[in-house]
């Protein structure tokens, strides 16, 4: 009987210990989860402020924030990721626009002047897609230390983006005037040029930002 009672007491003591440990583990887990959520909210808030401030000096601020705010988790407060996201958004928009222009080029209800403009625009958009893709590759390979290689790579980024913007503007210029129907004009809208223009500004700002540091964090 005494042995049974002792064993029972030991079991009860072990159970109490386990319950106590589980209680503190639950509290600790809750505290960790709460701290993690607070940290995530702080990071998101800082990223949102960073994007809003950066977009505030853009040539097209409204479009900037509208298209880049969803990239806050990736961008955080990195100028490089911000410029990279701007390039990605521009490429993402150019591709369907290029497809729409290509579809128009195969239409049979275009006027002679429209046919030439649309065909030229197809080529311009194809070139723009290639150039934005190359700019993203160059941005990805950007070195972390200032020097000739950094200057060369950053120059490549801006050369590719500038060329893409020129091709997009050329495409848009072809649709100026009253000789084009509404569908052609809407397809050849300047939205993509505005996105790429912002991306070019952010690439230039990135270069200046990194040049101000002896060892750059990108």
């Amino acid at each position: 009987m005494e042995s049974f009672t002792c064993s029972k007491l030991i079991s009860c003591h072990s159970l109490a210990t386990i319950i106590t440990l589980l209680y503190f583990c639950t509290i600790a887990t809750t505290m960790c989860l709460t701290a993690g959520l607070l940290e995530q909210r702080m990071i998101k808030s800082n990223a949102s402020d960073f994007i809003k401030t950066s977009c505030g000096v853009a040539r097209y601020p409204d479009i900037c924030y509208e298209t880049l705010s969803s990239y806050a988790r990736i961008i955080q407060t990195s100028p490089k990721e911000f410029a990279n996201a701007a390039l990605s958004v521009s490429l993402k928009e150019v591709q369907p626009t290029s497809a729409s222009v290509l579809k128009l080029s195969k239409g049979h209800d275009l006027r002679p002047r429209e046919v030439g403009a649309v065909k030229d625009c197809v080529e311009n958009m194809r070139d723009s897609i290639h150039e934005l893709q190359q700019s993203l590759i160059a941005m990805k390979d950007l070195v972390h230390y200032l020097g000739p290689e950094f200057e060369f790579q950053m120059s490549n980024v801006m050369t590719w983006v500038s060329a893409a913007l020129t091709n997009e503007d050329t495409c848009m210029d072809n649709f100026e005037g009253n000789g084009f129907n509404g569908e052609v004009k809407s397809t050849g809208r300047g939205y993509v040029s505005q996105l790429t223009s912002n991306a070019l500004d952010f690439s230039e700002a990135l270069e200046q930002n990194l040049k101000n540091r002896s060892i750059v964090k990108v």
Side-chain angles (χ1 to χ4, degrees), residues 66-189:
E66 175 190 335
T67 55
L68 295 180
S69 57
S70 60
Y71 289 79
R73 184 184 295 273
I74 298 173
I75 294 172
Q76 296 188 23
T77 58
S78 168
K80 179 186 176 183
E81 292 300 338
F82 184 73
N84 193 63
L87 289 171
S88 298
V89 165
S90 184
L91 176 60
K92 184 178 179 180
E93 183 64 28
V94 168
Q95 289 172 327
T97 301
S98 177
S100 296
V101 174
L102 180 61
K103 184 179 179 180
L104 274 177
S105 70
K106 298 177 181 179
H108 301 291
D109 57 345
L110 295 178
R111 302 171 186 176
R113 183 185 172 193
E114 291 174 341
V115 172
V118 171
K119 286 185 177 180
D120 288 343
C121 194
V122 168
E123 294 301 318
N124 291 143
M125 286 300 183
R126 282 176 178 170
D127 290 342
S128 181
I129 289 173
H130 172 72
E131 288 149 0
L132 287 171
Q133 289 172 336
Q134 292 303 310
S135 70
L136 283 166
I137 292 172
M139 183 72 75
K140 182 180 178 181
D141 294 336
L142 196 64
V143 296
H144 289 244
Y145 296 91
L146 296 179
E149 188 176 354
F150 167 80
E151 297 283 351
F152 175 73
Q153 290 176 334
M154 201 67 234
S155 175
N156 281 343
V157 170
M158 289 190 290
T159 297
W160 287 119
V161 183
S162 295
L165 180 59
T166 297
N167 278 304
E168 291 163 11
D169 283 341
T170 300
C171 175
M172 299 306 114
D173 289 343
N174 287 336
F175 294 102
E176 291 298 324
N178 299 318
F180 297 95
N181 63 43
E183 184 182 6
V184 173
K185 282 187 176 181
S186 63
T187 302
R189 65 194 185 281

Side-chain angles (χ1 to χ4, degrees), residues 191-210:
Y191 184 63
V192 290
S193 293
Q194 293 174 359
L195 288 173
T196 305
S197 179
N198 278 346
L200 178 60
D201 289 344
F202 300 145
S203 297
E204 292 173 347
L206 172 65
E207 181 184 34
Q208 189 58 46
N209 181 284
L210 300 185

